[in-house]
């Protein structure tokens, strides 16, 4: 049976950790390991995690100094034994049939490289999380896949892992762009409520979404890092120019677009010449 590695980074989330781990323990698919990474917490995460490792040998525990969620996830994944990875933040939960239903897709759809499910918000807000349908062009504009989706460890290796410079949020969006842009694999959403995302008014993403300057900085960084992908999608390119609204940066993007267009014309010309003389 396929081993699935569940990676649980946590920083000062001891009050939620047992609820998270209970949702892992309740899985109908049992061939999993769970790696908790304590990212320098100052609360009682250590004692809570130790209680769970004593109860279940499939649960492992790493304690390290604080470096952010990207380093924590990368640390856990680097020692994971599973073929497939499922990140799960220490304050969130998964439905008890999430692993089993995802495993069916893993076995039946070798073309699929990312699997997720329907989701619900809880905590400070409680409602169904209506996520748009996935397509890669839409993903370049905005994220519609939460952090707790399944993907292969070998694909994580190909991407170089989570970008450790993205300490303030949206690291999952950048990672999905990187992973799917690198592997060109398909995405599958289960018709099942498999993920529960806790809303907290002091969370990184909640704070980031309300800071216009940080939002622009993040979009600039992601766009520049994956410039070739963005330049291949002209509608997405112009949309981001509108969002960023920074003349100097937009001029840079436009110059890169012109370079790409001219390069493509040269390539087409050379191919035509080659066909004439061969």
């Amino acid at each position: 049976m396929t081993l699935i590695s569940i990676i649980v980074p946590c920083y000062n989330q001891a009050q939620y950790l047992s609820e998270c781990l209970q949702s892992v323990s309740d899985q109908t698919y049992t061939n999993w390991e769970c790696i908790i990474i304590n990212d320098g917490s100052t609360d009682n995460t250590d004692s809570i995690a130790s209680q769970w490792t004593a109860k279940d040998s499939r649960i492992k525990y790493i304690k390290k100094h604080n470096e952010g969620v990207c380093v924590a996830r990368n640390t856990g994944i680097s020692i994971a034994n599973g073929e497939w990875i499922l990140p799960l933040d220490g304050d969130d939960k998964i439905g008890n049939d999430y692993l089993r239903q995802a495993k069916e897709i893993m076995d039946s759809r070798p073309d699929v490289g990312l699997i997720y499910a329907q989701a619900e918000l809880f905590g400070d807000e409680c409602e169904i999380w209506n996520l748009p349908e996935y397509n890669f062009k839409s993903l370049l504009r905005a994220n519609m896949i939460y952090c707790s989706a399944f993907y292969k460890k070998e694909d994580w290796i190909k991407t170089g892992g989570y970008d450790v410079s993205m300490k303030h949020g949206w690291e999952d969006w950048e990672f999905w762009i990187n992973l799917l842009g690198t592997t060109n694999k398909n995405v599958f959403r289960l018709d099942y409520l498999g993920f529960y995302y806790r809303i907290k008014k002091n969370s990184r993403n909640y704070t980031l979404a309300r800071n216009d300057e940080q939002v622009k900085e993040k979009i600039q960084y992601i766009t520049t890092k994956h410039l070739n992908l963005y330049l291949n999608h002209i509608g997405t390119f112009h949309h981001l120019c509108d969002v960023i609204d920074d003349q100097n940066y937009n001029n840079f993007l436009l110059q890169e677009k012109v370079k790409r267009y001219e390069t493509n014309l040269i390539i087409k010309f050379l191919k035509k010449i080659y066909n004439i003389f061969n």
Side-chain angles (χ1 to χ4, degrees):
M1 294 200 323
T2 301
L3 179 65
I4 299 173
S5 296
I6 304 168
I7 309 300
V8 181
C10 54
Y11 175 69
N12 289 340
Q13 294 173 334
Q15 61 181 315
Y16 309 120
L17 186 58
S18 283
E19 192 175 0
C20 169
L21 296 176
Q22 187 63 56
S23 76
V24 173
S25 181
D26 289 341
Q27 290 301 301
T28 56
Y29 182 80
T30 58
N31 194 30
W32 53 262
E33 65 174 0
C34 179
I35 303 173
I36 307 166
I37 306 95
N38 181 350
D39 190 35
S41 299
T42 56
D43 60 8
N44 63 326
T45 293
D46 196 54
S47 63
I48 299 295
S50 297
Q51 292 171 24
W52 280 92
T53 57
K55 286 196 294 185
D56 194 326
S57 62
R58 295 172 296 178
I59 300 177
K60 303 167 185 176
Y61 179 52
I62 299 172
K63 187 176 182 179
K64 59 182 288 299
H65 67 279
N66 180 254
E67 294 179 279
V69 68
C70 293
V71 175
R73 282 188 192 146
N74 288 339
T75 298
I77 296 169
S78 67
I79 66 164
N81 296 308
E83 178 184 356
W84 285 79
I85 302 296
L86 176 66
L88 176 62
D89 288 350
D91 56 346
D92 295 330
K93 302 184 294 184
I94 50 176
N96 65 2
D97 209 31
Y98 192 23
L99 268 62
R100 186 194 67 79
Q101 293 201 27
K103 172 65 165 53
E104 291 182 355
I105 304 304
M106 296 171 192
D107 291 342
S108 63
R109 293 282 306 274
D111 60 303
V112 169
L114 193 151
I115 304 166
Y116 68 119
Q118 297 176 20
E120 185 173 285
L121 307 176
F122 75 110
D124 289 345
E125 297 177 21
C126 297
E127 60 183 345
I128 295 295
W129 194 1
N130 291 313
L131 297 163
E133 288 292 325
Y134 164 82
N135 66 67
F136 189 68
K137 187 174 180 179
S138 295
L139 180 68
L140 290 173
R141 290 174 179 245
N143 192 19
M144 72 286 295
I145 305 173
Y146 47 75
C147 65
S148 293
F150 300 83
Y151 55 86
K152 284 193 169 185
K153 180 173 178 177
E154 65 183 29
D155 291 337
W156 170 83
I157 293 171
K158 290 175 185 176
T159 66
Y162 290 91
D163 188 332
V164 298
S165 69
M166 299 196 69
K167 291 185 176 181
H168 303 295
W170 291 9
E171 72 289 333
D172 48 336
W173 181 30
E174 189 281 325
F175 181 71
W176 300 142
I177 291 172
N178 195 0
L179 185 144
L180 295 168
T182 299
T183 65
N184 293 313
K185 290 182 178 178
N186 291 322
V187 174
F188 190 93
R189 183 165 74 174
L190 300 167
D191 186 17
Y192 167 70
L193 182 54
F195 180 63
Y196 298 85
Y197 181 68
R198 189 184 300 273
I199 297 294
K200 297 179 295 186
K201 296 296 172 65
N202 62 344
S203 71
R204 291 179 312 130
N205 284 339
Y206 191 93
T207 303
L208 172 60
R210 285 152 182 79
N211 187 319
D212 290 344
E213 286 307 310
Q214 281 196 15
V215 166
K216 289 179 182 179
E217 287 176 11
K218 292 291 183 186
I219 292 175
Q220 281 191 9
Y221 177 78
I222 291 170
T223 306
T224 304
K225 181 175 179 180
H226 302 290
L227 190 58
N228 286 339
L229 293 174
Y230 280 93
L231 293 177
N232 285 334
H233 295 80
I234 189 165
T236 302
F237 165 79
H238 287 307
H239 167 78
L240 287 172
C241 284
D242 292 339
V243 171
I244 293 171
D245 192 26
D246 182 311
Q247 192 59 50
N248 289 333
Y249 189 72
N250 289 347
N251 286 341
F252 160 72
L253 290 178
L254 287 167
Q255 288 169 9
E256 291 298 321
K257 188 68 181 177
V258 169
K259 287 178 190 175
R260 170 62 60 84
Y261 178 71
E262 290 174 345
T263 300
N264 287 342
L265 285 179
I266 292 168
I267 291 171
K268 287 179 181 177
F269 175 75
L270 291 174
K271 283 182 177 179
K272 183 177 285 189
I273 294 297
Y274 179 83
N275 289 332
I276 289 173
F277 290 99
N278 288 275

